[in-house]
């Protein structure tokens, strides 16, 4: 019998397993897939000479995560690599909105677009340097974040308090309008905010835009050298070097509850893994409460509240192998690793509105990665390993482009990929001619490869305020502790949600250690 069983070897499950093993616990990690990594994996499936990340790629949140930093993953082979520029948007009327590694250079470039915006960028950044550490600590520690919360309060009660409060809770569109005159700087904030599913006119989107743009400015958008999978492999190697064991191809379909306590997990093959101290679940909240725990073991109010759980939108991701670099119409001053494709804030807003209304956008907002630019080991010199993903509704009610129904069969996959390629062509004529291999991952395919990505949801549930902080995953259970003793939710469905920062896993492990004392 082990002290703990962790279900799921995504980054959160692996972080949790590491922290428990470090505390001297005997831990078994049980993973449904035949390989570890969850949504942090890479392979040569698209082209044998190219490494493509199957899901996530850029890890700014890992760069600032106290947990990930504390694990010393460099000792287990993890090396970070950065593109010359972390992130940029090609602009409709020419040129780029680009974050340069030096904030003064970003400011000079924005000033050239619109006088005054360079100074405004530097002000935003200098505020970040003061308040950012408290924000990241508050977000990446268990709720309520007592120490960081007090620190944050001090900054909000100070002379620039009101402006900071607007940044923290305001919509990114109004934050941008207040701070900047030109579209370039506004787009940098707004497109970064769209890594979460909060539309640019919704409360809370300002914080996401500011947070990610400023982390990009301060730390870059790093990628693991050799592929995303190197990050989770380093976590797995650290865990096993401490005596932990990992069992792959073992899908858990039951958490065994005895006298109100989680005591074991059972797999679809009938194998049982017992846990004397805790079970930690890196699975989605709906899977945990809707399937893995027997209904009769759950209080009625939990079942009731789970009905209100809201997923984030679905995703279509396309990976390409190119025989050259992307032929951008306007060459950026520095090549960005992450590229956002959106003509304007209006277009971004329209896209978010269409998704909210259940319609597939006809001009989808694209998040793209130029991976060889970020890490030259990803493909042969002179070529580019590229991906782009875009969001689509969880439940499709229509298509603003008039062609798709949301069946996501191979014909629809092709049509959606062409729509996405069309968007890139507008900024990089000749892009399609450079494609030598392609892989399309539709919402059902993403879910088939990782059960937590339900209909292609990337963040374990919506990031809108109704399901954040103490309301995540549901009111009354906004912590790693669940409705069952010794059972902890360790996935992105728990606070602070999606992204590779390990905080959900770390919160769950700390809670388990605390209660076992
Ligand atoms: C296409 C895409 C792009 C993304 N891009 C980024 C990015 O660039 N940067 C970033 O920071 N984040 C990104 N994300 C989000 C990030 O990858 C996730 O938030 C993160 O992986 C969540 O980690 P997790 O451990 O909670 O879950 P996951 O990574 O989903 O891992 C869950 C694991 O649990 C296993 N599992 C599930 N159910 C069971 C079961 N019943 N029994 C056994 N095992 C089970 C799964 O097989 C999986 O291995 C992206 C996500 C996607 C899908």
């Amino acid at each position: 019998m082990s002290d703990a069983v962790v279900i799921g070897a995504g980054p959160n499950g692996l972080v949790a397993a590491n922290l428990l093993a470090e505390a001297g616990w005997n831990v078994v990690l049980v993973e449904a897939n035949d390989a570890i990594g969850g949504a942090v994996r890479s392979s040569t499936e698209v082209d044998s000479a190219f490494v493509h990340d199957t899901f996530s790629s850029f890890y700014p949140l890992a760069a600032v995560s106290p947990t990930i930093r504390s694990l010393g993953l460099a000792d287990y082979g993890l090396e970070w690599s950065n593109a010359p520029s972390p992130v940029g948007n090609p602009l409709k009327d020419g040129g780029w909105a680009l974050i340069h590694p030096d904030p003064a250079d970003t400011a000079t470039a924005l000033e050239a677009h619109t006088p005054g915006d360079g100074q405004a960028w530097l002000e935003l950044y200098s505020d970040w340097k003061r308040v950012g550490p408290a924000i990241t600590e508050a977000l990446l520690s268990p709720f309520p974040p007592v120490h960081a919360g007090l620190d944050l309060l001090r900054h909000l009660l100070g002379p620039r308090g009101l402006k900071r409060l607007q940044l923290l809770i305001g919509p990114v569109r109004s934050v941008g309008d207040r701070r900047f005159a030109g579209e370039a700087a506004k787009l940098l904030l707004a497109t970064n905010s769209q890594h979460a599913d909060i539309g640019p006119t919704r409360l809370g989107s300002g914080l996401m835009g500011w947070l990610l743009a400023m982390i990009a400015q301060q730390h870059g958008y790093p990628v693991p050298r050799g592929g995303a999978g190197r990050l989770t492999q380093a976590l797995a190697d650290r865990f096993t070097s401490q005596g932990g064991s990992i069992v792959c191809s073992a899908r858990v379909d039951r958490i065994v509850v005895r006298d109100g306590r989680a005591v074991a997990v059972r797999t679809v093959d009938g194998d049982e893994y017992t846990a004397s101290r805790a079970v930690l679940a890196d699975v989605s909240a709906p899977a945990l409460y809707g399937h893995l725990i027997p209904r009769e073991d759950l209080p009625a109010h939990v079942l009731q509240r789970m009905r209100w759980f809201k997923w984030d939108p679905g995703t279509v991701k396309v990976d390409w192998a190119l025989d050259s670099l992307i032929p951008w119409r306007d060459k950026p001053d520095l090549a960005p690793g992450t590229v956002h494709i959106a003509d304007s804030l209006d277009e971004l807003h329209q896209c978010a509105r269409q998704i909210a209304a259940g319609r597939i956008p006809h001009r989808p907002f694209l998040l793209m990665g130029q991976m060889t630019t970020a890490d030259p080991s990803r493909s042969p010199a002179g070529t580019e390993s590229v991906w782009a993903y875009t969001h689509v509704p969880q439940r499709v009610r229509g298509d603003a482009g008039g062609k798709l129904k949301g069946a996501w069969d191979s014909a629809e996959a092709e049509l959606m990929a062409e729509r996405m390629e069309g968007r890139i062509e507008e900024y990089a004529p000749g892009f399609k001619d450079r494609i030598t291999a392609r892989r399309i991952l539709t919402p059902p395919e993403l879910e088939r490869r990782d059960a937590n990505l339900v209909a292609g949801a990337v963040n374990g549930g919506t990031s809108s305020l109704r399901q954040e902080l103490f309301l995540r995953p549901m009111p009354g259970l906004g912590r790693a502790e669940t409705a069952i003793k010794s059972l902890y939710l360790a996935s992105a469905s728990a606070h602070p949600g999606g992204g590779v920062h390990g905080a959900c896993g770390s919160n769950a492990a700390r809670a388990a250690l605390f209660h076992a004392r």
Side-chain angles (χ1 to χ4, degrees):
M1 178 188 290
S2 45
D3 294 313
V5 175
V6 177
I7 310 167
N12 280 313
L14 285 161
V15 163
N18 266 283
L19 296 184
L20 295 179
E22 198 172 291
W25 286 25
N26 177 359
V27 184
V28 178
L29 182 48
V30 186
E31 165 58 47
N33 281 318
D34 58 5
I36 61 110
V40 184
R41 273 185 279 163
S42 39
S43 77
T44 54
E45 177 186 323
V46 178
D47 179 313
S48 59
F50 285 61
V51 174
H52 279 90
D53 299 332
T54 317
F55 311 95
S56 59
S57 276
F58 290 94
Y59 301 116
L61 295 174
V64 295
S65 160
T67 303
I68 303 254
R69 286 161 79 127
S70 74
L71 296 176
L73 296 178
D75 294 344
Y76 297 87
L78 176 68
E79 270 181 74
W80 292 109
S81 179
N82 274 287
S85 149
V87 51
N89 296 48
L91 298 170
K92 196 167 168 246
D93 298 328
W96 283 71
L98 210 60
I99 295 185
H100 293 245
D102 184 336
D105 294 337
T106 311
T108 305
L110 290 175
E111 193 68 23
H113 279 291
T114 311
D117 279 3
Q119 187 52 35
W121 182 267
L122 290 178
E123 276 167 22
L124 212 53
Y125 184 61
S126 96
D127 226 22
W128 167 257
K129 297 260 287 198
R130 274 189 214 104
V131 192
I135 294 177
T136 39
E137 193 191 325
L139 284 177
L140 300 182
S141 55
F143 202 85
V146 182
H147 173 262
L150 287 174
D151 200 18
L152 198 53
L153 193 64
R154 189 172 58 77
H155 287 297
L156 294 178
L157 295 174
R160 296 170 58 80
L162 189 58
K163 274 189 146 182
R164 287 172 183 158
L165 192 63
Q166 283 163 350
L167 272 172
L168 287 184
I169 58 172
V172 74
R173 182 137 203 186
S174 35
V175 169
D177 284 344
R178 275 204 196 93
R179 302 280 179 142
F180 300 107
E183 189 88 349
K186 290 181 195 178
L187 266 176
L188 277 181
L189 280 189
T191 49
N192 273 291
S193 81
Q194 296 308 288
H195 288 239
D197 66 312
I198 322 176
T201 56
R202 303 255 314 275
L203 291 179
S205 55
L207 170 62
M208 191 50 78
W210 186 43
L211 178 87
L212 285 181
M214 294 300 117
I215 295 177
Q217 182 64 88
Q218 192 172 14
H219 302 278
Y221 264 23
V223 304
R225 195 176 298 284
R230 296 288 176 93
L231 170 55
T232 36
Q233 193 55 55
L235 282 165
D237 290 346
R238 186 182 186 280
F239 170 59
T240 49
S241 75
Q242 288 174 329
S245 56
I246 300 178
V247 185
C248 284
S249 304
R251 179 175 299 281
V252 172
D253 73 345
R254 182 58 84 225
I255 291 171
V256 182
V257 179
R258 214 162 283 140
D259 301 326
R261 260 188 95 242
V263 294
V265 308
R266 199 173 302 139
T267 69
V268 286
D269 296 326
D271 296 327
E272 196 162 296
Y273 297 87
T274 49
S276 62
R277 291 170 143 182
V279 173
L280 286 80
D282 181 8
V283 306
S284 74
L288 183 69
Y289 291 113
H291 175 61
L292 295 186
I293 308 173
R295 265 182 99 77
E296 59 274 19
D297 289 317
L298 280 173
H301 72 269
V302 171
L303 292 169
Q304 178 77 22
R305 285 181 196 160
M306 261 329 277
R307 288 201 204 122
W308 293 96
F309 182 89
K310 188 169 182 271
W311 280 106
D312 44 319
T315 304
V316 175
K317 180 173 187 270
V318 186
D319 297 289
W320 297 275
L322 301 192
D323 63 9
S324 77
L325 302 184
I326 298 182
W328 297 111
R329 187 187 60 207
D330 295 308
K331 228 175 147 11
D333 292 341
L334 291 175
T338 301
V339 177
H340 295 137
I341 303 278
D343 288 354
S344 63
L345 279 125
D346 284 345
E347 189 186 85
L348 214 52
H349 184 202
Q350 183 189 48
C351 209
R353 273 206 330 251
Q354 287 172 339
I355 293 170
R359 284 157 65 78
I360 301 169
H362 65 302
R363 292 186 58 74
F365 163 56
L366 301 191
L367 290 106
M368 278 181 80
Q370 304 195 101
M371 300 316 295
T372 314
T373 295
D375 166 15
S377 76
R378 302 293 180 101
S379 69
T383 68
E384 189 79 81
S385 166
V386 187
W387 58 262
Y389 75 73
T390 191
H391 290 305
V392 294
Q394 268 275 328
R395 270 201 215 121
V396 175
R397 294 199 192 93
D399 174 18
K403 290 188 175 159
L404 305 165
K405 301 219 165 345
W408 301 127
D409 52 20
S410 56
E412 289 211 353
E414 295 279 330
L415 283 170
M416 192 65 199
E418 276 164 29
R419 192 175 293 181
M420 292 166 69
E421 286 166 1
R423 296 245 50 198
I424 303 170
E425 277 281 325
E426 291 168 21
Y427 290 93
F431 170 78
K432 284 196 211 171
D433 301 336
R434 312 299 210 273
I435 300 170
T436 55
R438 180 174 85 171
R439 169 178 70 183
I440 309 169
L441 299 169
T442 58
E445 179 58 18
L446 287 166
E447 184 176 341
R448 195 186 65 76
R449 291 173 182 239
D450 178 346
N452 288 21
L453 310 177
V454 170
V458 301
N459 282 329
T462 181
S463 310
S464 65
L465 290 179
R466 57 168 274 187
Q467 204 167 280
E468 274 297 339
L469 306 170
F470 60 96
L471 301 174
R472 190 172 187 88
M474 69 178 102
L477 277 179
R479 295 180 63 80
E481 287 86 347
T482 66
I484 305 288
K485 269 193 216 135
S486 312
L487 174 64
Y488 302 89
L489 178 62
S491 75
S493 283
H495 170 76
V500 177
H501 40 63
C504 315
S506 149
N507 291 346
R510 286 180 210 288
L513 291 168
F514 174 80
H515 289 291
R517 241 175 255 145

